[in-house]
Amino acid sequence: MKKIKVAVLLPLMLGLTACGGDSDDQVIGADEPPTPQIDNSAWNYVETPYMELPPYHLEGEVNVVLGTLDDQIQPWVGLGVIKAFQGDLSHDINGDGGVNPADAKLATPEIQNTESGPVFRVSMEDMITYLATNPDGLGAGSSRPDIFKPGAYSPFDLLRYLVGTREDMRWEGGVESILTPEESAYDTYEYRISWDMNGDGKFDSNDGDYFNSANWHYALKQSLGQNKQYAGARLAVQYSRMDQYWLREEQSYRFTVYSDEMINRLHWVWKQEQQRLANNGGKFIIPYVLHFDLNKDFLNPPSEFEILATNLEVTAHNMRSDVFQEGVLSTMDVWLSLAEQTGADIRFTWWATMSSGAKVDGFTIMHTPWTGNYGGWSGGMPYHGELATNGDFSGTVPTCNFNKDGSTTFNEDGTIGVAVNPVDPVICIKEWSSYNAIGGNQVNNIVGNNIMSYPYQFVGLGSLQGEARNGTDLDLQKDDTIEVYMAENELQHTVQTLGVKGEQSLFPTEDVTGIALLRPMHAATKETKIGSASILDESHFGWKIADCTQCHKKTFDNKLGHGGQPWPVNSVDGFDYMQPYYCATCHGSNGAPQGHNRAARCFWCHNTNNKNGLERLWMDKHGDASLPKFIPASKNVANQLTRATVPVDREGEISLYGDLWYPSHNSDFALSKTFPDPYSCGTCHGFEHEIEPKVEE
């Protein structure tokens, strides 16, 4: 049996395929790869198939903004959201049942956000070329070769490039005045930078706080792809050291000057971490591993938690040996160590480029004892840091119960006391309000990509089920069944709860022909076969071809099956056309490989954004699920100003989506007609995969 040729890939995409025979134009599944030799036991806790990670090389662009945002819209929205949760919808000006920037603009048309500095994109190729010459004496390439392998960089390296190439920025005192990590009391680079904020060509006090400041720090947002609804100015203020974070393509960075109080808080946190490592003789001991139930109190930081382990010793598993040097830890190592030492049912999944276009390329937790195989939203929101800082970014009006020097006042029993020299309320709201940014212990980074240079006091997961966010959260392991509208090119949700106006469905569209039922179905096996139906094996000329309809259709010689009768459809559930996964209920999975325990939202990763990395979907032709889908602006659900997905730009203005190609016919709003996610996926690829728990002797 021949492998498919690249030259015939385009005709196959267009459906111009032939069936039968052994020609080069035949659609044939790829041969099974050889079983890899895995010498890292951590892969026992990863549900996605083992893969060799090639050497990492940063590419693409990142977004950068200098200075601070004067944000007037998010405070207005934040207060309205608080009131809405308390039953007061006075801020819901447009009457859609929720509060968002659209309401702010209707209530106060003149309201606006203003950036103090430029917003621009930086080519990583340009940065890498510049740093390769070691222009500032801080290292050729990365400034932290003890952490990163060649090809990987940190936000501090990006800052080096900006200061070295922009005429309006400079190192005060020159690069020779920079303290290296070896010289610093905090194991990081310390420096003073001036930025000609007012653009008058001078570096002086007229630039305000941006002149000759040692308080430069960063906030960031991960890659978003096409997700315009999250494209505002909210970036997460990091409590991590700038030279010890992983810089990646399509992230957004804000470099700005923070108050003395914010910098003092950072330094206090860093000293706690360093002292903890020293107290334990260099061992990474995490005093508390915790679980928070965020469904109980969505607005406030977790105040109640379950202790999963105390004084957990964390060891390196080197799962990202393509990026980090041997022995560098990530928070993934905490959960791997917990699973190994306690038998906790923690599992990971590799996320590639998401259906939104967001570039993740890392391991994330996708199964926990509290959420099971959750299929969507933030089933495991990561937290880490000091317990005393868990409330730092805690609400629209934060309390900032700590001292100006950054320290927390503790009572004699170890509980947090009242600050004796508290932060000024004006500075508190400016720096720590959650409408300005999440941050601190609330980390918008998946565990496998987060460097842990020092042991945190706690590492935790906050469970938040989809219902808490009005999300449609299907889970085949819960036997979820839904009704869908049948349209010409898609299936449409009859009940859409993803924050749609008044929680009413935006469907059906004009081309709907009826309603059908989607329910979990299982592929037949030799043990569960139905009647005389044959279970397909290697002798089937279409072995491992996912889309049966490429050959089995009315225009083909139908004498090859079912006694010359029309090919069967799932009319019992309301469908009037063939669906390959329905065929599998009688004839088996036709060689489909076992899946990796996902019970929903397979399209997040299995989409045409990953045609080279998740090869099965692309090469085996899963009907319209294998092809991108054109969505005109007039049909884009997010443009209907839903309460959860209203798209805004960084100035807070409504910024609707234009026409776009979405990389899958499956989404949270509509599903593929022939391969609806997750039902068709679960039928042929299964979704049951258990890891043997550790048995204590």
Side-chain angles (χ1 to χ4, degrees), residues 218 222 237-241 244-245 269-270 273 276 286 288-290 292 302 329-332 334-335 380-393 439-462:
Y218 73 116
Q222 304 296 343
V237 179
Q238 298 295 302
Y239 275 6
S240 58
R241 297 161 177 82
Q244 299 175 32
Y245 195 90
V269 169
W270 296 348
E273 296 173 347
R276 186 171 298 115
I286 305 296
Y288 301 101
V289 182
L290 307 174
F292 306 108
L329 294 171
S330 73
T331 41
M332 181 180 182
V334 176
W335 298 104
M381 295 176 69
Y383 289 79
H384 62 242
E386 302 300 306
L387 288 171
T389 62
N390 210 33
D392 282 10
F393 293 86
N441 295 352
Q442 304 173 47
V443 184
N444 61 346
N445 195 10
I446 60 173
V447 294
N449 291 352
N450 184 75
I451 298 171
M452 187 176 70
S453 296
Y454 288 92
Y456 308 118
Q457 186 179 23
F458 84 93
V459 173
L461 286 180

Side-chain angles (χ1 to χ4, degrees), residues 5 27 84 150 275 280 334 359 429 460 487 509 549 559 619 661:
K5 289 186 175 181
V27 184
Q275 190 61 51
N280 290 292
V334 176
K359 296 180 181 297
I429 291 175
T509 53
T549 64
K559 293 181 181 180
M619 296 298 289
W661 282 93

